Amino acid sequence: MEKKDIAVVGRVAEGTELLDGQTVKTKILYEELKKEFPDRNIICIDTYQYRKNVVQILYRTIKAFVQCEYFFILLSRNGRKFFFPILNGLNRLFRRRLYHDVVGGALPGEAADSPVLVRQLKQFEVNWVELADMKAQLEKLGVHNVEVLRNFKRLDILPEDRLADVQDREPRVFTMFSRVVREKGIGTAARSAAEMNSRAGSRRAVLHIYGPVDPDYEEEFGELLEKYRDCVVYKGCIPFNESVKALSGSFMLLFPSVYPGEGMPGTIIDAFSAGLPVIASDWHFNRELVRDGETGWCYEWQKPEQLTEYMIYAADHPEKIRAMRPACLREARKYTPEAAMRQILGKMQEM
């Protein structure tokens, strides 16, 4: 392979503590490329607050096209609208290799409403999506340069002989590990824990919440913590690579999300890596990730009361949760950087 520089276009938000899915995914790929190619210059075009830094970002993008052969593009909805025409326009002149690593699960719906976006997607070497259902939806729209590339994280997967250390006492510690925003189902989880305790007449469940609080949700979240202070605890933010340590003392992970852009949620990888089964809504693609009775359960997202029932069932049958834990660890090994990088390098070597 001819030695050429590599560019990553996406939000890394240097100097901030952003921990959203887009930022984490971009940072992880950037770091893995640096490890894989220590003798190459890996350029990062940070799109954080790009509207405030348009001139600088455009200059860096043009400069990158001059010196880079490979571009990895990780953008959300607004970023796609802004950058795709620029990147594909420049590429008609420079003829570089552009790989679109799709962020989240909203792209098929956006493409269905935008013939312009469909044309943009067709111009990339590949569009890597996180799930098979996303690939199928894009192919129905005529976008055939699509492959499934699983989301991945570099995590220390809990050794199976450590599963005995996982918390298995009452009150059961259910955990959420995500951005703290209404659509992630924070309120649903809190109400379910409270309802579980109310029915039992005792403190059977505690909800631990990790993650950055969305500024628009701060006031409502504060009221929620006060209302459910007997069973909900906010644990603050932790680096994404310390998630296994934080989660491994929990009973299960809750993921009652109805977030519009949900794709392959990194928090499920975190949970599996810590040996935690997941109770998730069946929103978007979650049933492709959480297998009922094997690595957790999915409930109908329109019926949040089902979350409470699954939590009670799990608490009443801890032996079933223990039996799921080894399967969760096996599932986690599908989402390692090594597996993803083999696929990425194979695509880079294609002529």
Side-chain angles (χ1 to χ4, degrees):
M1 187 188 300
E2 187 179 356
K3 183 176 177 180
K4 292 285 187 179
D5 291 343
I6 298 169
V8 176
V9 183
R11 186 168 70 194
V12 296
E14 289 291 349
T16 76
E17 296 183 355
L18 283 180
L19 294 170
D20 61 282
Q22 179 190 359
T23 305
V24 170
K25 184 171 183 175
T26 306
K27 284 181 176 179
I28 290 171
L29 179 59
Y30 179 49
E31 292 301 322
E32 293 302 323
L33 287 169
K34 288 196 293 185
K35 290 176 183 176
E36 190 67 41
F37 299 105
D39 58 339
R40 298 195 193 188
N41 187 23
I42 313 296
I43 297 169
C44 181
I45 301 171
D46 188 356
T47 61
Y48 177 60
Q49 295 187 333
Y50 63 89
R51 295 188 185 279
K52 295 182 179 180
N53 303 286
V54 170
V55 174
Q56 180 183 4
I57 288 176
L58 288 178
Y59 171 75
R60 295 201 69 208
T61 301
I62 294 169
K63 185 178 178 181
F65 267 93
V66 172
Q67 66 187 85
C68 296
E69 181 70 17
Y70 306 95
F71 281 72
F72 292 86
I73 302 159
L74 301 92
L75 299 165
S76 60
R77 181 184 186 114
N78 291 331
R80 288 192 280 262
K81 288 181 180 179
F82 181 85
F83 283 101
F84 277 12
I86 295 170
L87 294 169
N88 281 321
L90 287 169
N91 205 38
R92 283 192 284 272
L93 175 63
F94 288 96
R95 310 304 302 169
R96 303 311 189 198
R97 303 187 69 179
L98 274 55
Y99 308 102
H100 176 212
D101 194 355
V102 178
V103 174
L107 181 64
E110 293 170 22
D113 295 330
S114 174
V116 172
L117 178 56
V118 169
R119 289 195 294 271
Q120 297 283 351
L121 295 173
K122 290 179 178 180
Q123 295 179 57
F124 297 124
E125 293 278 335
V126 67
N127 296 279
W128 280 312
V129 297
E130 297 172 344
L131 297 157
D133 281 352
M134 294 175 65
K135 180 177 186 289
Q137 290 180 32
L138 286 171
E139 287 176 338
K140 287 181 181 179
L141 299 172
V143 183
H144 296 290
N145 54 333
V146 186
E147 296 178 6
V148 175
L149 176 67
R150 289 190 176 99
N151 199 357
F152 61 94
K153 288 187 174 184
R154 184 166 292 283
L155 298 171
D156 294 325
I157 297 174
L158 192 74
E160 193 160 341
D161 61 8
R162 289 274 313 280
L163 287 176
D165 300 338
V166 176
Q167 198 277 138
D168 203 16
R169 303 176 302 277
E170 290 200 2
R172 309 291 188 196
V173 177
F174 295 90
T175 299
M176 292 190 67
F177 183 71
S178 69
R179 273 200 306 141
V180 180
V181 62
R182 184 185 302 107
E183 292 84 357
K184 290 288 185 177
I186 304 295
T188 299
R191 287 188 291 273
S192 292
E195 174 65 17
M196 180 173 169
N197 291 343
S198 176
R199 291 191 198 181
S202 63
R203 197 165 179 257
R204 294 199 73 195
V206 174
L207 175 64
H208 287 177
I209 299 172
Y210 293 88
V213 181
D214 189 282
D216 293 336
Y217 189 59
E218 283 182 355
E219 182 177 352
E220 184 176 338
F221 184 56
E223 294 171 354
L224 181 145
L225 290 176
E226 177 61 26
K227 181 177 181 179
Y228 298 109
R229 61 184 180 275
D230 60 330
C231 62
V232 179
V233 181
Y234 177 57
K235 305 287 283 186
C237 297
I238 58 170
F240 63 85
N241 56 358
E242 295 181 12
S243 60
V244 171
K245 181 180 179 181
L247 293 175
S248 60
S250 301
F251 182 62
M252 296 188 78
L253 183 101
L254 303 183
F255 191 64
S257 178
V258 290
Y259 186 75
E262 213 68 79
M264 163 70 233
T267 188
I268 292 180
I269 302 175
D270 296 308
F272 289 163
S273 299
L276 292 192
V278 178
I279 306 177
S281 64
D282 64 356
W283 181 253
H284 280 204
F285 309 103
N286 287 347
R287 283 200 183 277
E288 191 174 330
L289 307 170
V290 180
R291 297 194 301 275
D292 280 348
E294 295 182 41
T295 55
W297 296 284
C298 284
Y299 67 89
E300 298 173 66
W301 69 267
Q302 306 97 324
K303 299 179 179 180
E305 66 274 8
Q306 292 180 358
L307 174 60
T308 309
E309 302 305 325
Y310 275 120
M311 290 169 65
I312 292 173
Y313 181 82
D316 288 343
H317 299 85
E319 73 284 354
K320 292 187 180 295
I321 305 306
R322 286 194 291 271
M324 291 182 187
R325 297 195 191 285
C328 293
L329 296 181
R330 290 192 296 271
E331 195 70 14
R333 297 185 185 104
K334 297 179 181 179
Y335 304 101
T336 63
E338 289 75 17
M341 291 306 295
R342 283 194 295 270
Q343 185 175 344
I344 289 170
L345 292 176
K347 181 59 69 172
M348 293 176 70
Q349 290 165 1
E350 290 181 4
M351 300 303 293

